[in-house]
Amino acid sequence: MALAAPELSRRARRVTPAGLARFLARRLGTGLVLVVGITLVAFVITHLVPGNPAAATLGQTAMSDPTIVKAWDHQYGLDKPVVEQYLIYLGKLAEGNLGISEHDNNPVLSDLGQHIPATLELALFAIVVSTAIGVSLGLLAAVRRGRTADGVIRIASLAGVSMPTFWVALVLFIVFFSKLGWFPSGGRLDPGVTPPATITGMYTVDAILHGQWSLFVQALQHLVLPGVTLGIFTIGTMVRFTRASVLEVVNNDYVRAARAKGLPEWTVVRRHVLRPALLAITTVAGLAFANLLSGTVLVENIYGWPGIGEYAYQSAINLDLPAIMGVSMFVALVYIVINLLVDLAYSLLDPRIELR
Amino acid sequence: MSITSTLGVGARPAGSPDSGSAATEERLTRSDRAALRPSWRQPLALTGGAILLGWVVIAIFAPLIAPHPPNLQFAAPFSPPSRRYLFGTDELGRDVLSRVLYGARISLPLGALLVLVAMSIGSLLGAAAGFFGGVIDTVIMRLADLFFAFPGIILAMAVAAALGQSLTHAVLAVIVVSWPSYARLSRGLVLGARHSEYVASARLFGSSGWRTMWFELRPNVAGPILVLAALDVANAILLLAGLSFLGLGAQPPAAEWGAMVSEGANNFSYWWIGLFPGLAISTVVLAFNFVGDALRDLLDPRTARMLGK
Amino acid sequence: MSPDLLAIEELTVRLRTRRGIRRAVDGVSFAVGSGEIVGLAGESGSGKTLTALALLGLLPGGARVSGRVMFEGRDLVGLDRRRLRELRGREIALVSQDPMTALHPLLRIDVQLTEHVRAHLGLSKAEAEARAVELLAAVRIPGPAAALGAYPHQFSGGMRQRIAIAVALACAPKLLVADEPTTALDVTVQAGILRLLDNLRHEHGFSVLIITHDLGVLSAVADRLVVLYGGRVVESGTTGEVLASPRHPYTRGLMRALPGAVGAGQAMTPIAGSPPTLDSMPGGCHFHPRCDWAVESCFTVVPARREIGGGRTLACDVDPLRREGPETAAADRDGEPGLEPELQR
């Protein structure tokens, strides 16, 4: 019988600096293509339609005066051919210039810088809460598969993804602000309160860094309602995925083998079941986080949360082209970065996977 | 209008196809699961179907069922729910119950219609990409990727805002957002089926490309696509309602659920204005999710995973 | 022979299927002596894997066990979970079917080889690792120290099965349960694994219960054979005798189905039909629908298992070699229920 030497060649280090660099470079390349593509889609959509940005910004009276319209179009380069406009935009983009927002006259880049931390804070809160709850419930459902708990969790998670977030936001708002008065109505802080000096832009984090505890508590209170609203939708997805991936793992031979070794049940679940299931969960959590970062529009709208979603909404209704493009690019970047992080996490968690 | 036929597909109770005989010991866990499944799944599908049927009936017979016309401003504004006005009245003194019932006439047909259109466009493009390959494949799928990478709500918002604020434009916006997932799925399915023998033999007998695609591939691709559609109606209705909530869809005084929730948000002291239309959306979406979920289990696991998004 | 290490007596496992409760293992009895290799043979659905899981206490939640599983004088049926767990891996170890899936893909070999050793024997990490190296050497893994830091996917199938055996042997168990240990392997690798098992049991003195559908595998290493069909023992005896003169039609069928059959010269012919499922278990002798010798009584009367000399047992009233009449056998079998009434058409 052939006693082939085991191939242990790849054992040394799976993630070498050179390999990592190559991986990042390749991803950066495809990411760049995607960003340019996104700008193209945004550009085409906002140009090939009869809507008129000038009309949206200037209003009825100014529109009736052709000289004003002409000056406005000229100011934003809208009198040039569309292709030229796009190339000009790309050229500026390469210099890191995202243009000037047409509805608040600030550079889009600084607008994004203002709004992103608010959304990031909200999304982080929601993803942490929903992952913790969602993974536990999903695990419980998988362990009690087919029993009452499983059925209840299943229905609840379907309900979670079926309720419109803007409605959940409204209901929570009515109950916990309007009726019970437990949480503030909206915004990131009470009116008139000075936010902590900016370090990360996330008020809770900045408050901690500055040791301003009462401010931290207040910022956290403002986070709860919008955060939970976003979380409810995400919990549903997390539960379903956790349950499915745990069940997929549980039926594997290696789990039976672990039990046959006489390991305590908790060790079997933690080490042999949860770890592979975490692979799938990582992916979902990553995607869910990306969705949270871009899907906060409705919740931010209700809670007056000055994040990227609200900015996107304002840009959309004002047909503010540079701003829409800026938001789109931010969102595209979010997906690129998060996919990259998920892949990196995968290669750390699963020895069989090599970075490519 | 094809609402009823589309809903018919979704509402058909998901009967279990397996005969339940293959319970050998080696497959104990699987047979276990199969044995346990109906206890939760089938009732879910049936419940979903029943809810949908109820809503379809309401949509068709709204003028007969609703106590008042949806836009009639006849009662005292902000009357709380009472025996006279079960769901209360809104800021203009309209009956919320009547408006919720009439709302089914907007969300259900539009949801079904836009999914039908998105499905047709998406799956045809995807099938073409998978079948012909090469440049066609690259162009179509790169385009799909781009639309896919765009977050739904932001793309829809941009489209709806660019086209101008109206319900029709919101529907168009949701179609623009939805088609890529069908394209991806049908491309995957066609790629899987293309190399199978029956397609090869059909082509050997001189069947043309499109002909082969239509007659030989369609039956294999249709099932999963319809399941995706059933699941997608839920998302489409949510997205459409969301756009209306933002004021980018249905315009006043239309009795559209999303717009009604928005009205409720503006008058949050009067909880009934926003609560009931939101409940209506939730039940419809939940019903579609129940049915879609049960249908997904009928597909083979690999295809189901493609649907998992 | 030394007293039996394991004595299974009238083991019955009931499972709930969609159509009611079924006996997947139906009154199985056999013994494994110290240092002995016993083969449990049968097609899928014969109850062999459930028998193995029953003695490890690893049956799925819905299964009900009755009968006795005497291991070193203790009855494992009804032993509390904690005791059973302490026994598993330490006294009775399992080698699973497919080495590709039996080792955890995300855990390094050292973890998989030491976690139970440390839990059962209370060794330190260093001690357990030293032991792991010895074990890997014992199962002939080249460069055992280096192998500890590797992951399963870095080894070939045969190597993985060796590692799986090392994992099973880590706590020096008295009984090794090998569930289709070679099915997933190439024929040449199979022979190596079987020889290894045989050598190891001589070196370490443990007993082995090999579960397989492949009589060829058993003929190479097993001392005794127990043939299962439809949850019942149909024939048992020493490997040499059973294979030389198989008495049950099913055993004969299995042998004819072997490539390059043990019963020399004959062409390879599979048994007609397919094994019954729990919900389609025929009445009488479970094998009668596929049996060439079946007579009328086989349709209704469950054949008793009886001694036929030379330490062999047989559960067939027709017995193709002797052609005995079914009356004698039916007499000492007073209508044991055996099957749910609705199936006895």
Side-chain angles (χ1 to χ4, degrees):
Chain A
M1 107 132 236
L3 257 181
E7 356 157 350
L8 295 175
S9 48
R10 279 176 284 147
R11 199 169 70 75
R13 276 184 72 189
R14 284 178 294 113
V15 185
T16 59
L20 187 63
R22 240 178 298 128
F23 168 76
L24 288 178
R26 192 171 299 126
R27 279 312 189 76
L28 214 66
T30 50
L32 200 66
V33 173
L34 190 62
V35 168
V36 171
I38 291 279
T39 61
L40 187 60
V41 172
F43 200 86
V44 168
I45 283 173
T46 37
H47 270 82
L48 293 188
V49 292
N52 189 336
T57 310
L58 296 175
Q60 282 290 311
T61 25
M63 278 308 285
S64 54
D65 184 343
T67 51
I68 297 182
V69 175
K70 207 162 178 200
W72 196 89
D73 278 356
H74 184 73
Q75 184 191 343
Y76 290 102
L78 296 181
D79 49 354
K80 297 201 177 81
V82 175
V83 178
E84 199 184 329
Q85 284 181 42
Y86 181 64
L87 290 178
I88 290 172
Y89 179 82
L90 275 190
K92 285 187 185 159
L93 189 63
E95 300 163 7
N97 180 356
L98 296 183
I100 307 288
S101 160
E102 288 159 14
H103 77 276
D104 64 7
N105 278 317
N106 290 327
V108 171
L109 198 59
S110 80
D111 272 352
L112 289 177
Q114 289 274 317
H115 290 87
I116 288 171
T119 296
L120 195 61
E121 187 174 33
L122 196 55
L124 278 174
F125 180 88
I127 197 72
V128 168
V129 170
S130 59
T131 305
I133 299 176
V135 170
S136 327
L137 286 183
L139 190 60
L140 181 67
V143 170
R144 320 233 89 207
R145 172 167 53 90
R147 313 240 191 109
T148 315
D150 183 23
V152 171
I153 291 172
R154 175 183 200 89
I155 292 174
S157 67
L158 277 175
V161 297
S162 297
M163 296 184 293
T165 48
F166 57 88
W167 179 69
V168 174
L170 177 63
V171 171
L172 291 182
F173 181 87
I174 290 175
V175 173
F176 292 102
F177 164 69
S178 191
K179 300 285 175 204
L180 297 173
W182 289 0
F183 293 103
S185 67
R188 302 179 71 187
L189 291 172
D190 293 345
V193 174
T194 319
T198 304
I199 298 175
T200 62
M202 293 182 272
Y203 288 177
T204 46
V205 178
D206 288 351
I208 292 179
L209 294 177
H210 290 296
Q212 295 166 298
W213 296 109
S214 62
L215 204 59
F216 167 73
V217 171
Q218 195 185 108
L220 196 62
Q221 282 174 335
H222 280 77
L223 256 181
V224 170
L225 288 186
V228 167
T229 306
L230 285 174
I232 285 177
F233 187 83
T234 315
I235 286 174
T237 321
M238 299 297 297
V239 166
R240 295 160 58 74
F241 247 89
T242 306
R243 181 181 181 278
S245 43
V246 166
L247 284 184
E248 211 172 302
V249 173
V250 159
N251 287 323
N252 269 311
D253 269 3
Y254 58 74
V255 173
R256 193 177 76 177
R259 293 222 165 84
K261 282 166 146 184
L263 297 172
E265 185 61 20
W266 173 237
T267 310
V268 174
V269 170
R270 188 173 43 89
R271 190 180 292 158
H272 295 255
V273 177
L274 213 46
R275 192 180 289 214
L278 272 177
L279 281 176
I281 294 167
T282 311
T283 317
V284 189
L287 274 176
F289 187 59
N291 283 334
L292 279 174
L293 279 174
S294 61
T296 53
V297 178
L298 296 160
V299 174
E300 289 185 4
N301 191 267
I302 270 208
Y303 284 103
W305 193 268
I308 204 76
E310 188 58 17
Y311 184 67
Y313 170 68
Q314 293 298 337
S315 314
I317 56 171
N318 290 305
L319 276 187
D320 185 344
L321 188 57
I324 294 177
M325 305 266 271
V327 171
S328 308
M329 259 183 300
F330 162 70
V331 171
L333 276 176
V334 163
Y335 278 92
I336 292 165
V337 169
I338 284 181
N339 271 324
L340 193 116
L341 289 180
V342 166
D343 285 352
L344 282 176
Y346 242 85
S347 75
L348 287 179
L349 285 169
D350 190 341
R352 291 165 298 181
I353 289 178
E354 282 178 276
L355 290 178
R356 236 185 270 276
Chain B
M1 162 109 348
S2 49
I3 332 151
T4 36
S5 67
T6 314
L7 290 177
V9 172
R12 193 180 304 148
S16 154
D18 43 344
S19 58
S21 58
T24 61
E25 47 153 310
E26 259 76 18
R27 282 185 284 150
L28 175 78
T29 43
R30 238 173 286 161
S31 68
D32 227 354
R33 210 184 314 156
L36 290 164
R37 184 172 295 155
S39 62
W40 285 110
R41 302 258 159 106
Q42 241 150 345
L44 282 197
L46 289 177
T47 313
I51 296 175
L52 287 183
L53 194 69
W55 275 116
V56 170
V57 169
I58 289 174
I60 295 172
F61 298 108
L64 302 177
I65 302 172
H68 306 282
N71 293 327
L72 187 66
Q73 305 173 13
F74 68 100
F78 302 127
S79 316
S82 63
R83 199 166 302 164
R84 199 149 155 235
Y85 311 112
L86 279 179
F87 289 1
T89 65
D90 66 6
E91 57 181 333
L92 297 174
R94 296 172 296 193
D95 180 39
V96 174
L97 172 64
S98 305
R99 288 175 67 73
V100 167
L101 294 179
Y102 269 91
R105 304 192 118 194
I106 297 181
S107 293
L108 285 184
L110 285 185
L113 175 76
L114 74 83
V115 163
L116 220 60
V117 175
M119 180 178 84
S120 311
I121 297 175
S123 45
L124 271 180
L125 285 176
F131 193 83
F132 296 107
V135 185
I136 297 177
D137 186 20
T138 312
V139 170
I140 293 178
M141 292 325 288
R142 279 321 87 160
L143 202 63
D145 284 348
L146 278 181
F147 278 91
F148 216 74
F150 239 111
I153 183 86
I154 291 185
L155 180 57
M157 249 171 24
V159 174
L163 292 172
Q165 299 157 5
S166 86
L167 190 55
T168 322
H169 295 157
V171 170
L172 278 177
V174 179
I175 292 175
V176 168
V177 174
S178 318
W179 71 270
S181 44
Y182 295 98
R184 280 189 170 183
L185 179 63
S186 82
R187 175 177 180 270
L189 292 169
V190 166
L191 276 185
R194 193 171 73 148
H195 301 292
S196 59
E197 284 178 22
Y198 59 90
V199 171
S201 56
R203 296 213 76 163
L204 270 181
F205 283 109
S207 194
S208 79
W210 285 103
R211 216 186 131 75
T212 313
M213 211 162 93
W214 188 251
F215 288 105
E216 307 296 331
L217 289 180
R218 192 180 40 129
N220 290 285
V221 175
I225 297 259
L226 281 176
V227 175
L228 177 61
L231 286 165
D232 201 41
V233 177
N235 293 329
I237 289 178
L238 276 182
L239 192 51
L240 194 61
L243 288 177
S244 289
F245 173 83
L246 289 173
L248 295 171
Q251 299 300 313
E256 199 278 344
W257 292 333
M260 290 164 72
V261 175
S262 166
E263 206 183 302
N266 292 332
N267 303 291
F268 61 83
S269 314
Y270 311 101
W271 53 267
W272 54 89
I273 301 178
L275 181 77
F276 294 110
L279 265 182
I281 304 174
S282 303
T283 53
V284 169
V285 174
L286 189 66
F288 273 113
N289 275 331
F290 278 177
V291 173
D293 210 49
L295 284 178
R296 178 161 40 189
D297 289 339
L298 299 185
L299 297 175
D300 81 281
R302 241 193 61 228
T303 318
R305 206 160 295 152
M306 291 168 82
L307 277 174
K309 287 211 255 190
Chain C
M1 189 185 287
S2 48
D4 292 333
L5 176 73
L6 174 78
I8 292 179
E9 296 161 16
E10 288 295 317
L11 180 74
T12 297
V13 177
R14 291 181 181 79
L15 293 179
R16 182 187 297 277
T17 74
R18 217 179 294 188
R19 309 205 181 148
I21 292 169
R22 298 282 182 271
R23 293 184 182 197
V25 177
D26 189 3
V28 165
S29 304
F30 66 92
V32 180
S34 290
E36 197 181 22
I37 296 189
V38 172
L40 203 54
E43 291 164 292
S44 62
S46 62
K48 55 191 197 304
T49 298
L50 279 185
T51 304
L53 292 182
L55 75 93
L56 282 158
L58 285 178
L59 286 172
R64 295 281 165 273
V65 188
S66 58
R68 299 207 293 171
V69 176
M70 303 302 293
F71 180 76
E72 292 195 306
R74 266 181 300 177
D75 188 359
L76 302 188
V77 175
L79 202 63
D80 74 271
R81 291 163 64 105
R82 191 188 159 82
R83 282 279 180 70
L84 208 51
R85 180 167 68 68
E86 282 165 0
L87 213 67
R88 271 204 303 267
R90 179 170 188 169
E91 308 273 323
I92 305 176
L94 175 75
V95 177
S96 287
Q97 192 157 7
D98 185 354
M100 296 299 172
T101 59
L103 293 173
H104 200 293
L106 307 185
L107 295 174
R108 288 201 323 206
I109 302 299
D110 54 355
V111 175
Q112 308 201 40
L113 210 43
T114 58
E115 56 178 351
H116 54 311
V117 178
R118 298 181 63 191
H120 287 305
L121 308 181
L123 297 187
S124 72
K125 189 166 191 271
E127 287 168 335
E129 272 173 16
R131 189 184 174 87
V133 173
E134 287 171 26
L135 282 164
L136 288 178
V139 295
R140 285 50 153 185
I141 295 285
L148 275 189
Y151 289 92
H153 72 276
Q154 295 168 280
F155 297 91
S156 66
M159 285 293 150
R160 280 192 231 182
Q161 192 59 297
R162 282 159 192 274
I163 294 171
I165 291 172
V167 168
L169 295 181
C171 296
K174 299 194 175 99
L175 175 66
L176 195 66
V177 178
D179 183 5
E180 304 270 8
T182 57
T183 309
L185 302 175
D186 291 343
V187 180
T188 48
V189 184
Q190 261 185 26
I193 294 286
L194 291 173
R195 207 174 318 132
L196 177 72
L197 266 180
D198 200 25
N199 291 341
L200 286 172
R201 70 124 169 195
H202 286 305
E203 289 166 31
H204 299 270
F206 54 82
S207 312
V208 185
L209 180 63
I210 296 190
I211 295 162
T212 181
H213 65 279
D214 186 352
L215 284 183
V217 164
L218 294 179
S219 71
V221 290
D223 300 317
R224 285 193 300 121
L225 282 185
V226 178
V227 183
L228 287 183
Y229 189 84
R232 295 180 189 151
V233 177
V234 295
E235 181 164 14
S236 71
T238 59
T239 309
E241 287 209 29
V242 172
L243 295 187
S245 60
R247 296 280 289 276
H248 198 282
Y250 177 59
T251 318
R252 298 163 73 93
L254 276 184
M255 289 183 59
R256 270 203 307 276
L258 278 180
V262 189
Q266 292 143 319
M268 178 179 147
T269 41
I271 308 175
S274 52
T277 64
L278 281 183
D279 282 323
S280 65
M281 201 62 83
C285 172
H286 289 337
F287 188 61
H288 79 254
R290 303 169 72 190
C291 181
D292 294 336
W293 284 274
V295 297
E296 206 184 328
S297 66
C298 299
F299 288 66
T300 50
V301 181
V302 179
R305 187 176 162 204
R306 58 205 158 85
E307 305 273 345
I308 53 169
R312 292 180 64 174
T313 69
L314 177 68
C316 177
D317 294 337
V318 178
D319 187 358
L321 282 190
R322 293 260 175 81
R323 285 252 171 223
E324 288 178 353
E327 305 84 359
T328 44
D332 50 20
R333 190 85 180 178
D334 37 53
E336 190 186 289
L339 284 167
E340 275 60 33
E342 82 244 30
L343 288 171
Q344 295 189 338
R345 305 251 162 89

